[in-house]
Amino acid sequence: MATALDGRGVAAAIGAYSMWGLFPAFWPLLAPAAPIEVLAHRIAWTAVLMAAVLSLARGWGELRRLAPRGWAMVTAAGLLITVNWGLYIYAVFTGQVVEAALGYFISPLVSVLLGVLVLRERLRPAQWTAVAVATVAVVVIAVESGRPPWLALVLAGSFGLYGLIKSTVPLTATASLTAEGLVLGPLALGVIGVFELTGTGTMSGFGIGHLLLLIAAGPVTALPLLLYGAAARRVPLSTIGILMYLNPTLQFLWGVLVVGEEMAPTRWIGFVLVWVALVIFTADLVRAARTARPVPVPVAP
């Protein structure tokens, strides 16, 4: 992880988060494909692309050296990201982009909670305050809608667990995503085969343009991940932590301004509380990063 700003790294991070934030504009283009078919194509074509990228990087040795426990962790991570991707595509197709954005807004706070519950980490007072305010926000939104925001909570929880498991896998980002593709690819191809054999698939019969859009699900998924991997090596963690909110912010704006999802006054209050929690969390992250920054040691001429 870098300790100083790098212009290309910041540009890569902005590119990655902007692409993720504009995903609600892409997935509806794949209609009339069903969300499950879209998910299967996303996994399959991402696996194909990442296998090619890993071949160009000559990184297959990493996977050959991976122990069985590592493959078990890769499988668990792959299943979690499948749930996350599938639920997000479903949210976009069913007009729940704002709730999906809520999930990614609270995702960092869920990751902090997982660190406490699983890794026995200790939180600073500001972090506890941010988690408490976010909890109140979720309660407010639940009261407004008459139910807990399950979609947002599952998105945040699955992504948080995915990150937690990924941190235990001794692979580079490219090799790790390729490994997930190797595990999930056969299942995705099977789902695509079922759709085509039953006549409910959309690979054929909807023109070459639709087929190219299905294939594009691979690079659309992989490109922001590769950009993020490049940014993480060039940009300090505190900067990454701030820029990451560009993703759910763009999603939220798309849901409210483009799709026209309804925002009741109480729901606005809930989102404002979430944003307050994130301001507290981010300010503490920046302060902690500055405190931990090493002091330059004078070198004798």
Side-chain angles (χ1 to χ4, degrees):
M1 178 63 68
T3 57
L5 281 180
D6 177 277
R8 288 178 295 179
V10 171
I14 292 174
Y17 288 126
S18 297
M19 289 187 68
W20 280 325
L22 293 175
F23 269 4
F26 175 74
W27 300 120
L29 299 177
L30 275 61
I36 295 179
E37 185 187 5
V38 172
L39 174 63
H41 278 281
R42 182 180 188 182
I43 293 171
W45 295 113
T46 301
V48 171
L49 179 60
M50 293 310 302
V53 171
L54 194 65
S55 297
L56 291 174
R58 299 180 180 179
W60 287 100
E62 286 190 70
L63 300 188
R64 287 193 291 268
R65 293 189 297 269
L66 188 62
R69 182 181 181 279
W71 280 107
M73 293 296 99
V74 165
T75 302
L79 292 175
L80 283 167
I81 202 61
T82 297
V83 170
N84 188 272
W85 286 356
L87 193 58
Y88 181 78
I89 293 171
Y90 168 80
V92 173
F93 270 67
T94 56
Q96 301 181 76
V97 176
V98 170
E99 187 165 335
L102 174 64
Y104 290 109
F105 271 126
I106 65 176
S107 179
L109 303 177
V110 170
S111 297
V112 167
L113 275 180
L114 288 173
V116 173
L117 298 175
V118 179
L119 303 179
R120 304 299 180 185
E121 295 177 352
R122 299 183 64 180
L123 298 188
R124 296 182 292 271
Q127 292 175 312
W128 278 119
T129 302
V131 171
V133 173
T135 302
V136 173
V138 171
V139 172
V140 169
I141 293 172
V143 170
E144 182 274 330
S145 61
R147 60 170 181 82
W150 292 117
L151 191 149
L153 293 174
V154 175
L155 280 174
S158 60
F159 195 73
L161 287 170
Y162 174 73
L164 182 66
I165 292 176
K166 289 272 281 189
S167 67
T168 68
V169 179
L171 293 173
T172 61
T174 301
S176 182
L177 186 59
T178 305
E180 292 167 23
L182 292 178
V183 171
L184 300 173
L187 179 60
L189 290 174
V191 172
I192 294 172
V194 169
F195 270 97
E196 294 303 315
L197 290 174
T198 57
T200 55
T202 61
M203 282 189 71
S204 58
F206 290 88
I208 187 65
H210 180 72
L211 176 59
L212 291 176
L213 283 172
L214 290 174
I215 295 173
V220 164
T221 298
L223 182 56
L225 288 168
L226 294 174
L227 286 174
Y228 175 80
R233 294 190 297 270
R234 296 173 175 266
V235 180
L237 180 61
S238 57
T239 305
I240 288 286
I242 295 171
L243 291 175
M244 70 179 297
Y245 299 123
L246 179 62
N247 168 21
T249 299
L250 289 173
Q251 293 181 29
F252 176 81
L253 292 174
W254 185 273
V256 174
L257 301 179
V258 179
V259 182
E261 293 186 29
E262 183 179 355
M263 287 290 291
T266 310
R267 200 178 198 195
W268 275 112
I269 294 173
F271 268 86
V272 169
L273 287 172
V274 169
W275 295 329
V276 169
L278 293 177
V279 168
I280 297 172
F281 176 78
T282 305
D284 179 72
L285 178 68
V286 173
R287 183 194 61 80
R290 288 177 176 174
T291 303
R293 186 173 298 168
V295 179
V297 178
V299 179

